[in-house]
Amino acid sequence: MKPRTPRRRATAALAALAACAALTATQGQAQAAPSGDGISPTTKFYVDPHSKAAEQALTDLGKGDLANAVNMAKLASWPQADWFTEGTPAEVRAEVNGLVRKARAVDRTPVLIAYDVPGRDCTQYSSGGAASSAAYRQWIDAFAAGIGDRKAVVVVEPDGLALLPRDCGPNADPTGELTAARVADLAYAVRTLKAKPRTTVYLDAGNVLWRPVGDMAKRLLDAGVRESDGFALNVSNTHPTDHNARYGTWISKCMWWATEGPEETRGHTDWCATQYYSPAAPNDGTPGSVVNSADPTTWRWTDAWFDRTMGDPPADALHRFVIDTSRNGRGAWTPEPGKYTGDPEIWCNAPGRGLGPRPTGDTGVPLVDAYLWIKIPGESDGSCTRNTGGTIDPEYGIVDPPAGTWWPDQVHGLARNAAPRLTFNH
């Protein structure tokens, strides 16, 4: 076989880009089987033909960077979420309306992220949010009005429940007033969005290595998860899909047990085994301490407690969930032992990661409604420093772009490292 000349490689790249453009432009012509308004295995999610990845493909092609151009074209062919993070009620209503209108025109379901709760992200990299609960509720009302009676999937407030005001520091919420307001705001958002006839709502619940099972189960119940379609896991994180699926299943069972189980267990999510502890584990000094959150092989003791205690709850009584797989193809990042003396911020622009399982409603995993690309691949988590005291991220040797900023080098790496290998969405 003759080696490809630069001209032949350019032609191949152009053909790939053209195929991508044709796919996104005509995504509504091939009709999926009707599946109702919730997520099902046949759900087709909306692909933005003018996404940042599509723009990056053209930029790379213009520079003669054919390999990255093709990878970006492939990435652009897959559905990704749209984040709504600010703006007046009138602005967010118009922006949401514009998105769902475009999605309906091609018979696809858009995925939207509501991310404007007061005190967002504990004043860290993604800080911001509405000025007050009243302002936030007006914003949510407008968000819901923008959706109207059209199909949409909404993930409510990433980190909003896993990072409550009381979690921001010992003096962040001394009276508990801010935390109570946060929980009430999230419940309002869930209730308002779910009141729309064709909106599917998932309340964010952090990730597998954050809150213990029982703690997150209680937070979800307090924030109105029973009025939603379920919860979301691993948003903007890199933990493996199967680990989050296991965690989500435990949370679902724990919530069922604490609300529908035996009378004596009602309200006791705190009795549930977790990724950190299980009463079913051998006693090696402290009962249950053999369970190690960093070693999933020890989670068999958590599984054993749920099996022994709850048996097999009816599937239709358990809350379902979605998992963000946008950056978890290679799992979580672990820095070299001893490299950092402080928090290495393993969640923040983790180096060497890759795109994970493609977005789909056909997961084949009980209780998992969908794998979604919620975090937009290529957008920075913030100017991470690994707690080194400087401004440089030692993993990249630069000052990372601010949170939400498009980062070409990062998205190129995510595409190259994709697992499974990145292909076009057909």
Side-chain angles (χ1 to χ4, degrees):
M1 177 182 291
K2 293 182 179 180
R4 285 190 172 186
T5 66
R7 182 173 180 177
R8 292 180 67 194
R9 289 197 298 270
T11 300
L14 286 168
L17 290 169
C20 173
L23 171 69
T24 54
T26 62
Q27 60 184 312
Q29 294 178 6
Q31 299 296 315
S35 60
D37 295 327
I39 296 177
S40 79
T42 61
T43 296
K44 301 297 183 182
F45 298 108
Y46 176 67
V47 177
D48 180 3
H50 306 292
S51 67
K52 293 179 180 178
E55 294 174 358
Q56 186 65 49
L58 295 175
T59 298
D60 292 337
L61 187 62
K63 294 178 178 179
D65 187 352
L66 304 183
N68 279 327
V70 172
N71 269 343
M72 291 300 97
K74 291 175 181 177
L75 172 59
S77 74
W78 291 95
Q80 301 167 43
D82 279 82
W83 289 62
F84 298 84
T85 64
E86 59 186 3
T88 67
E91 288 169 342
V92 76
R93 177 173 181 165
E95 291 172 7
V96 168
N97 175 68
L99 173 62
V100 296
R101 179 174 49 81
K102 287 186 288 186
R104 183 172 68 174
V106 292
D107 194 30
R108 291 296 186 260
T109 300
V111 178
L112 299 79
I113 314 302
Y115 191 57
D116 195 40
V117 75
R120 187 178 69 200
D121 200 34
C122 288
T123 72
Q124 297 184 92
Y125 300 127
S126 297
S127 61
S132 67
S133 289
Y136 178 67
R137 295 184 184 207
Q138 292 174 353
W139 190 86
I140 284 293
D141 288 343
F143 193 113
I147 295 173
D149 62 358
R150 294 162 293 195
K151 290 189 297 185
V153 172
V154 182
V155 175
V156 175
E157 299 298 339
D159 296 349
L161 199 54
L163 193 59
L164 293 170
R166 70 176 184 229
D167 303 318
C168 296
N171 301 313
D173 187 20
T175 68
E177 182 179 355
L178 295 176
T179 294
R182 167 70 60 80
V183 172
D185 286 342
L186 294 175
Y188 182 86
V190 167
R191 186 167 60 251
T192 302
L193 292 164
K194 191 57 192 169
K196 294 301 174 182
R198 307 182 72 190
T199 301
T200 305
V201 180
Y202 297 94
L203 180 58
D204 187 74
N207 63 72
V208 63
L209 288 190
W210 202 345
R211 301 296 171 193
V213 171
D215 181 17
M216 182 47 67
K218 184 179 188 306
R219 294 181 186 217
L220 284 166
L221 291 169
D222 289 345
V225 72
R226 281 175 283 190
E227 297 186 62
S228 74
D229 294 277
F231 53 96
L233 294 175
N234 207 46
V235 173
S236 300
N237 224 297
T238 59
H239 298 293
T241 304
D242 59 335
H243 294 186
N244 279 284
R246 213 160 164 185
Y247 177 60
T249 301
W250 294 333
I251 290 174
S252 290
K253 290 183 176 181
C254 183
M255 290 194 291
W256 171 82
W257 188 65
T259 57
E260 305 295 332
E263 191 66 34
E264 63 272 18
T265 71
R266 302 291 175 89
H268 282 291
T269 59
D270 57 312
W271 291 357
C272 293
T274 78
Q275 69 275 43
Y276 301 101
Y277 172 86
S278 172
N283 184 347
D284 60 350
T286 302
S289 65
V290 71
V291 178
N292 183 347
S293 62
D295 181 4
T297 65
T298 68
W299 295 356
R300 67 185 184 276
W301 299 110
T302 302
D303 288 329
W305 183 88
F306 277 94
D307 291 343
R308 182 186 71 190
T309 306
M310 302 179 193
D312 191 16
D316 59 0
L318 298 176
H319 290 282
R320 303 179 67 83
F321 53 98
V322 297
I323 300 174
D324 184 356
T325 60
S326 61
R327 299 189 298 178
N328 72 347
R330 293 196 170 188
W333 168 61
T334 302
E336 299 171 15
K339 184 173 184 179
Y340 298 108
T341 57
D343 179 6
E345 299 177 319
I346 65 169
W347 55 271
C348 194
N349 295 328
R353 301 307 91 194
L355 302 166
R358 305 298 100 90
T360 180
D362 188 11
T363 69
V365 180
L367 300 184
V368 180
D369 278 345
Y371 301 142
L372 301 174
W373 284 358
I374 297 175
K375 171 72 175 182
I376 298 174
E379 289 193 355
S380 174
D381 291 320
S383 301
C384 321
T385 65
R386 320 291 165 192
N387 284 283
T388 55
T391 60
I392 301 294
D393 183 344
E395 292 300 321
Y396 297 94
I398 62 171
V399 176
D400 296 349
T405 302
W406 184 251
W407 190 355
D409 286 347
Q410 185 191 74
V411 75
H412 289 152
L414 289 171
R416 285 193 300 270
N417 295 333
R421 182 176 60 86
L422 187 59
T423 60
F424 279 105
N425 178 21
H426 296 298

